Structure formats: C-alpha cells, structure tokens
Amino acid sequence: MALLGNFYYSQHINPVAPINISGASLTHDQLKSYIDNVNNNTLIYRENDDYSLFKGSPYLDSTYKKVKIDDFLMPQKLRYNAYSDKMEFEKDGKIYDAQIPDNAVLNFFEFNKNFKKMKYTLEGKNYDGFLTIVSEGKFLALYKKESIKLREGDGLNNGIVDHRGAVFSNQKPVYICLFDNKYSVLPKNKKEIINKFSIVQGLAKFIDDNKIDVKDDLDLAKLANYINDNLK
C-alpha cells in the first residue's frame, strides 16, 4: 500500500517560514488502489478490546458515518475512537482498525467534520493519530484534539452512584497549531495568543472587534485566516 509521505518544510524565511501541510500527496490512481484494497491488506482485528468492562464510552459519537478520502467514498462507514486515537469500522460482527495513510484527510461529510491522519511532535512527545482540521493556511495550521482517557474509579457503591471501577472520561479539547514549522498548544486566553503571534499587525484589534471566542472552532478559524492573511 502506498502511503503519503512525511511533512516537508521550507527553509526558515525571516520572519516566519511558510509551512507545507500537505506532504507528498497520493496520486488519483494510488488513492483508488488504496480504497479498492482496503478490505484485503489494511485491517487489524481488535479482538482484545472489551470496552464493556468500563463505564462510559471511548467514542465521541459511537455511530458509524460515511467518509470520503479526496473524492473517493470509503467502502465502510467509520467512527473515531477518541481513547485509542484510531478510526474503526465493523465487518461481519467484528471491529477493525482502518489503517489510514499519513496526511490523508477524512471527510465526514454528513456532519461537516474533517479528520487528518498525522504524525507530529508536541512538547517532546511523538504522536501518530488523528486531529480535526480547524484551519490550514500558508503560515499557520490549526487543529483540534479531542480525546477520552480511562480513569480509575475511586470510592464505593453507595446504592445511588457506583464509584467503583474504571470509567471513560472526556478531556477538554486542545487546540494545536503548526506555526514557524513547530507544533505547539494554542494558548487558552486572548492575551497569550496576541503575545504568541505578536508579529501579526492589528491582531488585538481584530480579536476585540470580532469578539473572537478562543473556545469556538469557527472563531478560531477566522483568527487563523486573519493571521495567514497578514503575514507576508
């Protein structure tokens, strides 16, 4: 199976280096071959995972959705496992991990959400999984990481609430930016964001005038677009 290549970045250009967020793209024929053969050579059966042992769910949405890669419709519906950071599908009553090529964008077109399969380094740790695309531009790309962790239970069953056993716990979303060819966590408040992108003229005024909510995907997309448009 032909995989998409790793990221390739331009040399540093003062003041900020442009980024190449697409990597080495698959050709139309390679994508078609990948989709046609996904049943034959890209499956891993998840026979050892029994999530019924734990409370809660490892899924943001447990239903399987139609997905496109480029203009190709995947032969199976997928769902995102926010605990394992993998895409899954069901076949003949068994759950499989879908082996998605690096840098491929999965378009969950039924609810307008795009996941990107990425390898990246953040705060000294390497990751290989999926991020939601908020915005991608010449100088700044912004992604959203939604995750679920398994938390050990504490306490007793008091007859009203059972605190025993492990439970899946939704984590607060983390926004990750690729800027100046480095991945970092986007600050959580406006002042720190303005300081981080201090090279961008008029950023504070733009944030105030547009009442940017730094927890809202659409507002953050507007913010990223402004930053990209005002870096030369």
Side-chain angles (χ1 to χ4, degrees):
M1 178 181 68
L3 296 181
L4 291 169
N6 296 324
F7 291 125
Y8 293 94
Y9 301 123
S10 304
Q11 292 182 345
H12 184 80
I13 299 175
N14 211 6
V16 163
I19 58 175
N20 183 344
I21 45 79
S22 60
S25 299
L26 285 175
T27 66
H28 185 277
D29 289 342
Q30 286 173 327
L31 265 175
K32 185 176 186 304
S33 177
Y34 166 74
I35 297 297
D36 289 344
N37 290 285
V38 70
N39 284 324
N40 300 322
N41 58 6
T42 61
L43 308 184
I44 297 179
Y45 176 40
R46 297 171 57 79
E47 59 183 346
N48 295 322
D49 290 341
D50 186 358
Y51 294 134
S52 65
L53 297 173
F54 313 117
K55 301 172 188 174
S57 171
Y59 307 104
L60 302 171
D61 183 346
S62 62
T63 59
Y64 295 92
K65 307 286 188 182
K66 293 179 181 178
V67 178
K68 287 183 178 179
I69 299 181
D70 198 358
D71 58 344
F72 294 102
L73 183 67
M74 289 285 288
Q76 296 90 6
K77 294 181 179 180
L78 301 181
R79 68 181 178 187
Y80 176 59
N81 186 321
Y83 171 66
S84 67
D85 200 10
K86 296 182 182 296
M87 290 290 171
E88 301 176 347
F89 64 90
E90 187 176 10
K91 181 183 178 183
D92 299 329
K94 298 178 181 179
I95 298 175
Y96 295 84
D97 288 341
Q99 301 302 291
I100 306 297
D102 292 339
N103 298 326
V105 176
L106 303 183
N107 178 13
F108 285 74
F109 55 90
E110 291 179 309
F111 63 116
N112 194 30
K113 193 169 188 176
N114 291 322
F115 285 91
K116 189 169 187 177
K117 172 64 166 58
M118 300 177 65
K119 291 180 179 177
Y120 59 98
T121 301
L122 181 67
E123 298 178 343
K125 185 176 179 180
N126 295 325
Y127 294 87
D128 184 358
F130 294 89
L131 298 176
T132 303
I133 299 174
V134 177
S135 177
E136 289 185 325
K138 183 177 180 180
F139 297 99
L140 169 67
L142 186 59
Y143 306 97
K144 182 179 182 180
K145 179 61 180 177
E146 297 175 284
S147 60
I148 293 175
K149 292 185 178 181
L150 190 61
R151 179 173 55 83
E152 290 298 327
D154 52 6
L156 302 173
N157 181 0
N158 61 13
I160 300 175
V161 179
D162 188 353
H163 294 284
R164 299 172 300 176
V167 59
F168 286 111
S169 176
N170 285 43
Q171 306 300 295
K172 291 183 178 180
V174 175
Y175 291 94
I176 298 170
C177 55
L178 174 58
F179 183 70
D180 204 15
N181 295 331
K182 299 181 182 68
Y183 288 96
S184 62
V185 174
L186 185 74
K188 296 180 180 180
N189 65 68
K190 297 176 183 179
K191 183 178 180 179
E192 291 182 4
I193 290 175
I194 293 167
N195 289 336
K196 181 178 182 66
F197 300 105
S198 59
I199 195 171
V200 180
Q201 295 292 325
L203 183 58
K205 186 176 186 304
F206 173 82
I207 290 175
D208 288 340
D209 289 350
N210 291 274
K211 297 180 173 58
I212 296 296
D213 181 352
V214 297
K215 296 180 180 180
D216 181 81
D217 288 10
L218 292 178
D219 277 8
L220 286 175
K222 293 177 185 177
L223 176 66
N225 290 341
Y226 179 86
I227 292 171
N228 279 306
D229 289 344
N230 286 273
L231 285 173
K232 306 298 182 184

